């Protein structure tokens, strides 16, 4: 047969053929070894000398088989070719293309590998933009901006030959002691779902596969300890942990990653109820499920539920895991041996393979003319001006002003003492999954690869002409009395002290925040609280700037602080954004995505608690918070003109409208997040006192007036009842409309009428929002569109 005729006969090579027909034709031609080879990743270039970026990496990551032998039957994925070590982008694209050509030449079918990278705060690669961390996304309450960021990240990845990104994290924060709190979007499932879905839409719009993680329960690990068992009920799983995944699945995500943890003794990676019955059966998901790094091995190594690596592979496949990451272990020879022994049904291999090949087909990787060569390698710029501008905008819109007695904004020319361990550290602005903190720290002789100002540097260079002195005081952990004394002297000599305190992001004990960096309590790490107390005793006004991966307890200092600003980890442009907020060039507009606790440092909670989770006479512990969920101040706050929620009834299958009129009577732009909370006075089960169901962010130009109408569907009141089904009940409800979960401006008491309804995955999960733009001029005087924040206090 001529070569052209042979290619014609191979349906799987025909781009015009049906995807299912192409995949079926290819599968019918493959041996067992070739099939299994498509179900695992290979981590090239990883070794124990580079520092751990995954749990137990030094024990599990290195593959003894040589490269030629490894690729003989093909491979499913290449793991982090840009995110393992610092590599110049052009050299990286050339090396990746070379690897792909070798893989295609080695196998009978010439199937390239799917390439994945981490991308939580931007592509985790040397010289790539470091965007703000997910807590900043939540603090922005701005899904459109997060979607733009996701699209930009996706375009960068696609330009390098990457196909899949391992983000977003949709775990709802349940205990801020957990080190990975910094990777979450917040503590409310609606907020996490809306923002996470926006990220998914952005990444997927660039043709990159987004990966939802971690399905499900990871953030509820007991005591806030990484990988600890999860002890929660199915109702909490259904009503708190699952909704963000449901929302993001609707946004077009094509991959899901399992949680490491076990729930009620059953590890997620071996639970078919999660990945087969729920994810695929109920939710209709058709993409791939990839294991978290080494999670299949952990079934034997950590959970002790598998006798061998082959047994672990079989359990994972039966559960619905399709691909073992990051590198071949259980899905290699152990799985082949288990198949030969009759312990694993070949139908499970075919089930996973069909999903993997379908995805490769949709990406064009099975097309005869697919090339691994980047279209325009010389044009690759990972940290271009557009990316930096986007990082700056998101950082500015995420900074939260928690307290201000008038000390901010800082007047030009002030004598400022900048103090604290986070003031002169570029890494202080970045989370644990940014390349500099994830990989770069293990290569101290390699430059960071991007320009990142420190807050100290930004204030010294500020156009406001501040007279800046500096003293570290103490490092994040440790420190000396002499260091504190030096900081005190600097504060006494200044008009204002800016104390920059917080976390060092790291991995597995290498920091105070991040994966494997859990906290025993919520006091500032090390001697930082001692430093802060000493600064407050000087009598100089102290402005606290927090660069943190979790909320901390500040109840002993807060009443003495002149101002508190929270930046979380605001990324490479964070220092400039913070300087703009401190100086007044930018009006702070972020809102808290997590609660800041008061004195209960050893009993952390979130705002989503039933009545007995709040302060009561049956316990001596007061759980009243210091700064509530949704809180955030402004130099020029919007004026609430009125709230209209006039209807007295709401049909259990209908909608209800809330209208809020806002005005900006100042000469500077401002924003308001109109937050609508549901309170259910009587239900079948104990429900949270209130839960967020709408939160549109409304931007108001100087002199602007806008009216926002929020249409709420009755499905938004649904909860999981005693029968285990999600239901909408008739009866009394309250809608609490305000500027935070504690700042309620209006309450609508109404009655749900009609029959009880059961609702499922297809229920309405977001409100419809319409904004009518109006304008006026205060006192009849034309107001400029832009301007500085009202003059600082001298």
């Amino acid at each position: 047969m001529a070569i052209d005729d042979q290619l014609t006969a191979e349906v799987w090579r025909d781009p015009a053929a049906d995807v299912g027909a192409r995949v079926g034709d290819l599968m019918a031609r493959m041996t067992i070894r070739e099939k299994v080879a498509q179900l695992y990743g290979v981590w090239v270039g990883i070794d124990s000398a580079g520092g751990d970026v995954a749990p137990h990496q030094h024990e599990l990551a290195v593959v003894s088989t040589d490269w030629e032998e490894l690729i003989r039957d093909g491979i499913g994925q290449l793991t982090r070719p840009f995110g393992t070590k610092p590599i110049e982008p052009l050299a990286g694209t050339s090396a990746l293309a070379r690897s792909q050509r070798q893989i295609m030449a080695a196998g009978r079918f010439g199937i390239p590998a799917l390439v994945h990278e981490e991308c939580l705060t931007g592509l985790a690669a040397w010289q790539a933009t470091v965007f703000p961390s997910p807590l900043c996304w939540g603090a922005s309450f701005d899904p459109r901006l997060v979607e733009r960021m996701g699209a930009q990240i996706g375009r960068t990845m696609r330009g390098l030959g990457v196909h899949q990104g391992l983000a977003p994290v949709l775990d709802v924060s349940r205990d801020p002691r957990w080190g990975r709190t910094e990777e979450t979007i917040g503590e409310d499932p609606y907020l996490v779902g809306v923002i996470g879905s926006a990220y998914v839409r952005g990444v997927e719009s660039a043709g990159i596969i987004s990966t939802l993680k971690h399905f499900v329960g990871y953030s509820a690990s007991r005591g806030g300890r990484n990988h600890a068992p999860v002890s929660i009920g199915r109702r909490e799983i259904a009503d708190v942990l699952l909704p963000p995944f449901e929302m993001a699945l609707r946004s077009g995500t094509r991959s899901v990653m399992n949680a490491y943890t076990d729930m009620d003794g059953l590890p997620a990676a071996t639970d078919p109820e999660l990945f087969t019955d729920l994810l695929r059966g109920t939710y209709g998901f058709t993409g791939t499920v990839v294991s978290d790094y080494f999670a299949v091995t952990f079934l034997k190594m950590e959970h002790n539920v598998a006798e061998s690596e082959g047994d672990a592979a079989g359990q994972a496949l039966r559960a619905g895991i399709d691909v073992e990451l990051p590198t071949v272990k259980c899905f290699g020879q152990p799985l082949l041996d288990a198949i030969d022994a009759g312990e694993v049904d070949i139908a499970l291999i075919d089930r996973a393979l069909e999903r993997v090949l379908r995805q490769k087909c949709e990406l064009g990787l099975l097309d005869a003319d697919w090339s691994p060569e980047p279209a325009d390698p010389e044009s690759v710029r990972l940290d271009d001006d557009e990316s930096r501008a986007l990082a700056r905008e998101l950082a500015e819109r995420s900074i939260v002003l928690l307290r201000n007695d008038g000390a901010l904004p800082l007047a030009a020319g002030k004598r400022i003492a900048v103090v604290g361990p986070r003031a002169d550290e570029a890494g202080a602005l970045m989370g644990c999954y940014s390349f500099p903190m994830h990989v770069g720290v293990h290569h101290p002789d390699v430059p960071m690869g991007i320009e990142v100002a420190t807050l100290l540097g930004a204030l010294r260079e500020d156009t406001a002409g501040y007279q800046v002195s500096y003293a570290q005081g103490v490092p994040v952990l440790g420190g000396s009395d002499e260091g504190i004394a030096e900081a005190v002297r600097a504060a006494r000599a200044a008009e204002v002290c800016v104390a920059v305190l917080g976390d060092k992001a790291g991995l597995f004990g290498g920091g105070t925040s991040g994966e494997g960096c859990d906290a025993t309590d919520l006091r500032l790490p090390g001697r930082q609280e001692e430093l802060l107390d000493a600064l407050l005793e000087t009598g100089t006004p102290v402005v606290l700037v927090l660069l943190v991966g979790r909320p901390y307890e500040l109840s002993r200092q807060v009443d003495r602080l002149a101002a508190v600003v929270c930046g979380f980890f605001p990324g490479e442009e964070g220092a400039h954004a913070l300087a703009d907020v401190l100086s007044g060039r930018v009006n702070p507009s972020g809102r808290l995505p997590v609660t800041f606790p008061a004195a209960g440092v050893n009993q952390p909670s979130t705002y989503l608690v039933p009545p007995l989770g709040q302060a009561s006479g049956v316990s001596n512990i007061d759980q009243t918070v210091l700064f509530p969920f949704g809180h955030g101040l402004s130099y020029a706050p919007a004026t609430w003109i009125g709230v209209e929620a006039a209807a007295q009834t709401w049909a259990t299958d209908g909608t209800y409208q809330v209208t809020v009129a806002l005005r900006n009577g100042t000469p500077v732009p401002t924003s308001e997040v109109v937050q609508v909370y549901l309170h259910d006075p009587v239900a079948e089960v104990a429900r949270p006192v209130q839960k967020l169901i709408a939160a549109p962010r409304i931007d108001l130009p100087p002199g602007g007036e806008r009216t926002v109408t929020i249409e709420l569907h009755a499905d938004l009141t649904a909860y999981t009842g005693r029968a285990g089904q999600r239901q909408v009940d008739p009866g009394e409800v309250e809608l609490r409309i305000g500027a935070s979960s504690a700042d309620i401006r209006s309450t609508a008491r109404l009655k749900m009428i009609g029959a009880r309804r059961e609702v499922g995955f297809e229920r309405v999960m977001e409100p419809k929002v319409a904004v009518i733009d109006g304008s006026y001029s205060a006192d009849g005087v034309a107001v400029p569109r832009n301007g500085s924040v009202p003059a600082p206090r001298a």
Side-chain angles (χ1 to χ4, degrees):
M1 181 184 290
I3 292 177
D4 289 345
D5 294 334
Q6 184 178 1
L7 289 176
T8 302
E10 293 179 337
V11 175
W12 70 274
R13 281 291 195 189
D14 182 2
D18 174 73
V19 171
R22 295 179 68 185
V23 170
D25 178 61
L26 179 56
M27 289 176 63
R29 301 168 184 269
M30 299 174 78
T31 66
I32 294 296
R33 282 189 168 273
E34 289 168 334
K35 289 180 176 183
V36 168
Q38 291 296 316
L39 306 185
Y40 54 72
V42 173
W43 201 347
V44 178
I46 195 67
D47 56 48
S48 58
D52 280 8
V53 298
H56 296 288
Q57 171 194 314
H58 60 288
E59 302 168 49
L60 302 175
V62 180
V63 179
S64 57
T65 308
D66 65 48
W67 174 246
E68 287 76 16
E69 177 67 20
L70 201 58
I71 66 175
R72 184 183 62 186
D73 297 308
I75 57 174
Q77 294 209 13
L78 279 173
T79 293
R80 298 173 65 170
F82 295 94
T84 299
K85 295 177 180 178
I87 182 169
E88 194 275 328
L90 189 58
T93 56
S94 297
L96 175 58
R98 182 169 59 251
S99 295
Q100 290 281 37
R101 287 194 299 272
Q102 292 169 348
I103 293 166
M104 294 167 70
R108 288 197 302 141
F109 302 103
I111 304 171
L114 187 149
V115 180
H116 79 258
E117 292 284 356
E118 296 286 358
C119 59
L120 188 65
T121 58
L123 172 63
W126 192 54
Q127 298 185 1
T129 304
V130 177
F131 289 93
S133 67
L135 279 178
C136 295
W137 310 355
S140 77
F141 278 77
D142 193 339
R144 289 195 182 98
L145 184 54
V146 172
E147 183 172 344
R148 285 171 51 206
M149 177 192 69
Q152 187 73 7
I153 293 169
R155 286 190 291 270
T156 298
M157 296 170 74
R158 190 176 179 88
L160 295 177
V162 178
H163 308 107
Q164 181 169 2
L166 303 186
V169 171
L170 296 184
D171 300 298
V172 178
S173 175
R174 301 301 285 160
D175 186 333
R177 294 175 298 182
W178 188 45
R180 301 191 80 167
T181 297
E182 66 165 69
E183 299 177 51
T184 73
I185 295 168
E187 69 184 37
D188 179 84
Y190 171 79
L191 177 64
V192 174
V194 168
I195 298 295
S197 296
Y199 179 90
V200 166
R201 288 193 299 272
V203 170
E204 292 278 354
S205 73
I208 297 296
I209 298 169
S210 60
T211 308
L212 311 184
K213 57 187 191 181
H214 307 85
F215 198 77
V216 64
Y218 192 12
S219 59
S221 56
R222 195 179 300 160
R225 292 182 60 249
N226 198 37
H227 290 213
V230 175
S231 302
I232 58 175
R234 291 187 176 273
R235 187 168 290 104
E236 184 176 347
I237 296 168
D239 290 351
V240 177
L241 301 185
L242 285 176
F245 289 93
E246 295 179 83
M247 296 170 78
L249 286 168
R250 298 180 184 186
S251 295
T253 194
R254 288 179 283 171
S255 193
V256 173
M257 176 179 280
N258 71 283
Y260 281 124
T261 45
D262 72 76
M263 289 193 294
D264 196 25
L266 189 61
T270 190
D271 188 354
E273 186 176 336
L274 282 179
F275 291 103
T276 299
D277 299 343
L278 180 64
L279 181 63
R280 297 195 184 276
T282 302
Y283 296 166
F285 179 64
T286 60
T288 56
V289 175
V290 299
S291 80
D292 205 342
Y293 282 16
F294 310 117
V296 180
T297 300
F298 289 167
L299 295 178
K300 175 181 182 293
M301 178 179 172
E302 287 196 330
H303 293 293
N304 297 341
V305 297
E307 292 182 342
S308 65
E309 291 175 343
D311 182 21
Q315 290 192 42
L317 283 164
R318 280 187 286 273
I321 303 289
D322 301 314
V323 180
E324 180 185 28
L325 297 181
T327 201
V328 56
K329 191 71 174 173
C330 299
F331 277 29
Q333 193 61 47
L335 175 56
L336 291 167
D337 292 342
I339 294 169
D340 289 342
E343 296 167 356
V344 175
D345 190 338
I346 190 63
L348 294 175
I349 306 299
D350 286 341
R351 183 178 72 170
L353 177 64
E354 191 275 336
R355 297 163 182 164
V356 168
L357 292 181
R358 177 176 288 272
Q359 205 155 76
K360 287 193 172 185
C361 186
E362 291 169 348
L363 289 168
L365 300 183
L366 301 188
D367 296 352
D369 61 352
W370 184 85
S371 171
E373 307 296 337
D376 187 8
E378 297 294 335
S379 69
V380 173
R381 286 189 60 204
L382 302 191
D383 190 32
D384 58 13
D385 292 343
E386 183 180 359
S387 296
R388 293 195 72 99
L390 189 54
R392 175 75 163 266
E393 184 179 358
L394 182 53
E396 290 174 349
R397 289 171 75 83
S398 68
I399 293 168
V400 188
L401 179 62
L402 298 177
R403 174 183 169 84
N404 188 21
D405 71 356
L408 294 179
L410 299 171
K414 281 266 192 183
R415 294 194 317 277
I416 301 173
V418 179
V419 171
R422 304 286 77 195
D424 198 26
E425 287 285 343
L429 304 162
M430 305 177 196
C432 74
Y433 267 77
S434 66
F435 187 86
M437 305 308 293
H438 198 74
V439 177
V441 292
H442 303 300
H443 301 272
D445 297 332
V446 178
M448 186 173 287
I450 53 176
E451 294 183 11
V452 183
T454 67
L455 183 53
L456 174 64
L459 288 173
R460 279 179 167 164
E461 298 170 2
D462 199 280
T463 56
Y466 299 123
Q467 303 172 55
V468 178
S469 60
Y470 167 69
Q472 183 193 56
V474 296
V476 172
L477 295 173
S480 65
D481 293 345
E482 291 77 10
I484 293 176
E486 180 186 5
V488 166
R489 288 192 293 272
R492 283 182 174 148
E495 295 175 273
V496 176
C497 175
V498 176
V500 191
L501 309 181
D503 282 313
K504 174 186 176 183
L507 298 169
F508 312 113
T512 61
S513 173
E515 185 174 0
C517 298
D518 309 315
T520 56
D521 63 38
L522 294 177
R523 291 191 173 181
L524 287 166
R527 299 184 68 180
Q528 292 183 77
E529 185 174 322
E530 185 180 347
L531 170 64
L532 184 57
D533 282 329
L535 296 173
L536 288 166
E537 289 172 3
T538 65
T540 300
V542 176
V543 173
L544 174 61
V545 175
L546 292 170
L547 296 173
V548 292
R550 61 168 63 86
Y552 281 103
E553 191 265 299
L554 306 168
S555 60
R556 286 164 300 282
Q557 295 84 29
V558 67
D559 290 339
R560 294 177 287 155
L561 288 165
V564 182
V565 175
C566 181
F568 296 112
F569 290 137
E572 66 179 41
E573 284 290 328
H576 293 299
L578 282 163
D580 284 346
V581 167
L582 293 174
S583 67
R585 288 186 298 274
V586 167
N587 187 18
S589 59
R591 302 293 187 267
L592 283 182
V594 287
T595 297
F596 269 63
V601 293
N602 291 315
Q603 291 199 338
S605 183
T606 75
Y607 92 99
L608 284 174
V609 294
L612 286 177
Q614 298 183 325
S616 72
V618 300
S619 173
N620 63 311
I621 296 175
D622 186 353
Q623 292 287 79
T624 302
V625 302
L626 186 63
F627 297 117
F629 175 85
H631 171 71
L633 303 177
S634 170
Y635 299 147
T639 300
W640 287 55
I641 303 172
V643 178
E644 183 180 343
Q648 300 298 305
T649 60
W650 185 359
T652 56
D653 61 353
T655 60
Y656 188 90
Q657 282 195 352
V658 173
T659 300
V660 178
L662 302 168
R663 175 182 296 159
N664 179 9
T666 75
V668 296
T670 194
S671 295
E672 182 63 273
V673 178
V674 177
Q675 301 170 44
V676 181
Y677 295 87
L678 174 75
H679 169 63
D680 191 348
V682 179
E684 280 191 354
V685 299
R687 300 190 67 186
V689 174
Q690 58 183 4
K691 58 168 289 189
L692 188 69
I693 60 172
R697 175 171 176 144
I698 309 300
D699 293 332
L700 293 141
E705 184 176 307
R706 285 180 175 159
T707 300
V708 55
T709 298
I710 305 168
E711 183 178 280
L712 305 164
H713 196 279
D715 288 0
L716 296 171
T717 71
Y719 68 99
T720 303
R722 295 186 185 186
Q725 301 298 317
R726 190 172 277 111
Q727 62 192 49
V728 176
D729 287 350
E732 305 293 331
V733 296
E734 287 183 6
L735 296 177
R736 300 173 176 179
I737 304 108
S740 81
S741 59
D743 182 7
I744 302 301
R745 306 294 175 89
S746 180
T747 299
R749 296 174 177 85
L750 52 138
K751 187 173 184 178
M752 305 286 295
I753 58 173
R756 172 178 292 168
R757 296 171 51 241
E758 288 188 359
V759 296
F761 178 67
E762 298 300 328
R763 71 193 183 279
V764 177
M765 299 189 71
E766 296 184 50
K768 293 181 180 178
V769 177
V771 179
I772 299 173
D773 192 12
S775 62
Y776 78 104
S777 297
D779 301 322
V781 178
V783 179
R785 297 291 294 178
N786 297 294
S788 299
V789 168
R793 188 174 68 176

